[in-house]
Amino acid sequence: MTDLQIITSNNGKLREFKEIFGDSKYIPVQNNIDYPEIQASSLEEVVDFGLDWLQKTTKPPFVIDDSGVFIDFFNGFPGVYTRYIYDTIGLNGVLRQMEDVEDRKCTFRCVLGLLTESGEKQKFVGECSGTLIKELRGKGGFGYDPIFIPHGFEKTFAELSSDEKNSISHRGKAMRKLIDFLLK
Ligand code: ITT
């Protein structure tokens, strides 16, 4: 078994890393160091900057995760600002802003950045499309999960079991690509 540092302050993400790594040979271990998240137009740029910054201070291998929800009606907003919107207006604020919005389609994206022991940088991307509903439903998951129904389902991410969420989620998809890479 090999420890793999996951650099995140988000316990919801960490729990999903542990679930998805399951009984693979890697054990996700949290490292809570705070790294700067630059103002950028894409999650990929945020991850590239984060890996470069952390490379100077932190011994690899490690993984970072930048994710967000991209709402069609708002041309992809909040996207890279997803955490900021959550922390400022919260889910009820998001629902209020969308009260009269008919087109509720959106996509969750997750970009994982890996710095390997030999200093190689890799990114792994996962996406999950769905719709935002008009109220909060369910107690599972974290963040935007109570208002997001993935395409083809009738339950929110917060109502699905963690196995169900992980099997279709943006993070699940990105992580399975990461695991395939690590096992190669
Ligand atoms: P880090 O320390 O890993 O950066 P963070 O919470 O700051 O943690 P981000 O900057 O990537 O993470 O912000 C992601 C935002 O998107 C945050 O508000 C989350 O609640 C939300 N989010 C990400 N993945 C999610 C998921 O699977 N379900 C619900 N919300 C999610």
Side-chain angles (χ1 to χ4, degrees):
M1 299 300 264
T2 315
D3 284 358
L4 181 64
Q5 281 182 90
I6 314 296
I7 300 185
T8 182
S9 58
N10 185 315
N11 293 331
K13 288 183 183 177
L14 184 76
R15 193 179 56 241
E16 292 183 359
F17 271 89
K18 288 186 174 157
E19 289 162 357
I20 299 166
F21 270 103
D23 45 16
S24 75
K25 70 175 200 151
Y26 293 94
I27 306 170
V29 178
Q30 184 175 25
N31 180 336
N32 212 336
I33 78 173
D34 204 14
Y35 62 94
E37 289 195 1
I38 48 154
Q39 299 262 307
S41 54
S42 72
L43 299 176
E44 281 82 351
E45 285 172 76
V46 176
V47 166
D48 284 336
F49 183 87
L51 288 177
D52 287 345
W53 192 90
L54 284 162
Q55 187 168 29
K56 299 185 188 112
T57 57
T58 309
K59 190 174 171 311
F62 58 76
V63 175
I64 59 177
D65 169 325
D66 203 48
S67 36
V69 61
F70 294 72
I71 301 175
D72 287 12
F73 182 80
F74 297 133
N75 293 325
F77 189 80
V80 290
Y81 305 105
T82 300
R83 157 114 193 242
Y84 177 71
I85 292 299
Y86 186 83
D87 291 347
T88 50
I89 63 172
L91 296 185
N92 287 317
V94 174
L95 294 184
R96 269 196 301 279
Q97 295 302 317
M98 295 192 67
E99 227 156 44
D100 299 321
V101 175
E102 291 267 311
D103 175 9
R104 305 185 72 90
K105 291 192 297 300
C106 66
T107 302
F108 259 121
R109 295 190 80 238
C110 171
V111 178
L112 299 178
L114 167 72
L115 185 68
T116 67
E117 221 160 340
S118 61
E120 186 189 347
K121 290 173 193 142
Q122 289 286 338
K123 291 196 288 289
F124 307 90
V125 181
E127 292 190 351
C128 180
S129 295
T131 52
L132 294 177
I133 56 169
K134 296 197 166 185
E135 74 281 327
L136 276 65
R137 277 178 19 199
K139 298 256 177 277
F142 67 100
Y144 290 68
D145 284 350
I147 61 171
F148 177 79
I149 296 196
H151 187 67
F153 287 74
E154 287 180 357
K155 291 181 178 175
T156 66
F157 263 171
E159 291 174 312
L160 293 173
S161 69
S162 47
D163 279 355
E164 283 170 320
K165 177 183 172 186
N166 294 336
S167 70
I168 54 168
S169 76
H170 47 307
R171 184 162 299 100
K173 289 175 185 161
M175 279 192 58
R176 282 186 287 279
K177 293 181 190 170
L178 165 69
I179 293 170
D180 283 351
F181 177 86
L182 290 172
L183 294 177
K184 249 194 277 154

